[in-house]
Amino acid sequence: IGVACDRAKMACDRNRASYSSGYSYFSDEMLKETELHRYIIENLDRAIRENWIQVYYQPIIRAANGRVCDDEALARWIDPEKGFLSPGEFIPILEDAGLIYKLDLFVTEQVLSKMKKTTELGQYVVPSSVNISRSDFESCDIVEEIRKRVDEAGIDRSMLTIEITESVVGNDLTYIREQVERFHDLGFKVWMDDYGSGYSSPDILQTIPFDTIKLDMQFILQYEKNKTSGIIISGLVKMAISLGIETVVEGVETEAQVEFLK
């Protein structure tokens, strides 16, 4: 009876955002989602320990000279049983469970390790950015945890950039501004990720001193299909320049997009 009630509750929750009457049946798809949810939570520590979670680096190219100026660290879970798990599958689950801080600190440690090895090889090192979640601030003192790891690695704090998504800011502008200022006081740069993916407000940029905003990839993906997207990108870039904020456009894949952004 307990299992039946739990499954009925899951089916019911599917209609939580609806304001009209309705009903849902528990399905095999829901069962798979439930099993994956449990699997990810139960195996996170093992995935980190046994390197099922790997870090990939997305280069950021400066438009002025065409050279890599930064890169972004991205987590990918390559599971021996489940295969490839996309961030869209495991990140929301870890955020809901309050465990995402383990992943974000692991990624930070991997970035620092890469920087040390690159330096030892005498190769040029570019700053790397890591993403942090709202849940990180609630689970630990994420500012201090990152500061401690960077200093222990002997890496200059300016080499690690913190990325915060628009959704992290939410309605609590004052709290996030305080955390951004803490990072700044310690010598870290802070970027706003996915600007424009939700209900972006200029108030965010007025209130929180981001060093860079990353425009959501949907803007550039629409550029060649809908020219109004180009007008919006131009307007956002000009606004950012006026505020003394740098810009990065995500998802650039074609020569036409590159030439437009230049």
Side-chain angles (χ1 to χ4, degrees), residues 220-232:
I220 201 66
L221 293 179
Q222 294 296 321
Y223 168 68
E224 291 172 36
K225 303 175 185 176
N226 185 350
K227 294 305 179 183
T228 59
S229 182
I231 297 172
I232 294 172

Side-chain angles (χ1 to χ4, degrees), residues 87-250:
E89 291 178 297
F90 62 84
I91 288 179
I93 292 172
L94 295 178
E95 286 179 332
D96 289 343
L99 297 173
I100 191 70
Y101 76 96
K102 291 186 177 183
L103 174 66
D104 292 341
L105 291 176
F106 168 73
V107 171
T108 299
E109 291 166 358
Q110 293 299 298
V111 169
L112 296 171
S113 177
K114 182 206 70 165
M115 286 183 176
K116 290 179 67 174
K117 291 177 182 177
T118 304
T119 301
E120 291 168 0
L121 291 172
Q123 298 175 348
Y124 183 69
V125 182
V126 298
S128 291
S129 63
V130 295
N131 295 277
I132 61 174
S133 167
R134 176 59 189 242
S135 174
D136 291 341
F137 292 106
E138 298 165 354
S139 300
C140 63
D141 185 350
I142 193 66
V143 179
E144 175 59 18
E145 291 296 329
I146 289 176
R147 196 276 317 159
K148 181 171 62 177
R149 285 164 172 77
V150 172
D151 289 354
E152 289 175 351
I155 301 295
D156 192 281
R157 295 174 186 173
S158 64
M159 296 300 291
L160 189 76
T161 301
I162 309 302
E163 290 198 32
I164 298 175
T165 62
E166 181 183 340
S167 61
V168 169
V169 177
N171 296 320
D172 198 347
L173 292 178
T174 301
Y175 176 75
I176 297 300
R177 184 188 68 223
E178 291 171 353
Q179 304 311 307
V180 170
E181 289 174 346
R182 286 182 67 198
F183 274 121
H184 278 162
D185 290 343
L186 291 170
F188 295 98
K189 291 182 179 179
V190 184
W191 293 3
M192 182 178 190
D193 193 15
D194 294 337
Y195 186 77
S197 61
Y199 298 98
S200 300
S201 168
D203 286 346
I204 294 176
L205 302 184
Q206 288 186 115
T207 305
I208 303 176
F210 289 106
D211 299 287
T212 298
I213 58 173
K214 296 178 72 177
L215 303 186
D216 187 71
M217 70 171 61
Q218 291 304 317
F219 289 119
I220 201 66
L221 293 179
Q222 294 296 321
Y223 168 68
E224 291 172 36
K225 303 175 185 176
N226 185 350
K227 294 305 179 183
T228 59
S229 182
I231 297 172
I232 294 172
I233 293 173
S234 297
L236 290 173
V237 170
K238 289 176 182 177
M239 177 188 68
I241 290 173
S242 299
L243 292 170
I245 301 173
E246 291 195 337
T247 53
V248 172
V249 178
E250 299 177 325

Side-chain angles (χ1 to χ4, degrees), residues 39-103:
Y39 182 86
I40 287 172
I41 291 176
E42 291 178 351
N43 286 277
L44 173 62
D45 291 337
R46 184 180 179 188
I48 290 174
R49 185 173 61 252
E50 299 188 13
N51 294 317
W52 298 352
I53 298 177
Q54 301 174 16
V55 178
Y56 288 72
Y57 296 91
Q58 176 73 44
I60 298 174
I61 312 297
R62 188 167 294 281
N65 56 23
R67 300 183 65 180
V68 176
C69 57
D70 296 83
D71 60 37
E72 178 184 4
L74 302 169
R76 298 292 183 265
W77 188 321
I78 316 298
D79 195 90
E81 179 180 329
K82 302 290 186 180
F84 176 81
L85 299 177
S86 76
E89 291 178 297
F90 62 84
I91 288 179
I93 292 172
L94 295 178
E95 286 179 332
D96 289 343
L99 297 173
I100 191 70
Y101 76 96
K102 291 186 177 183
L103 174 66

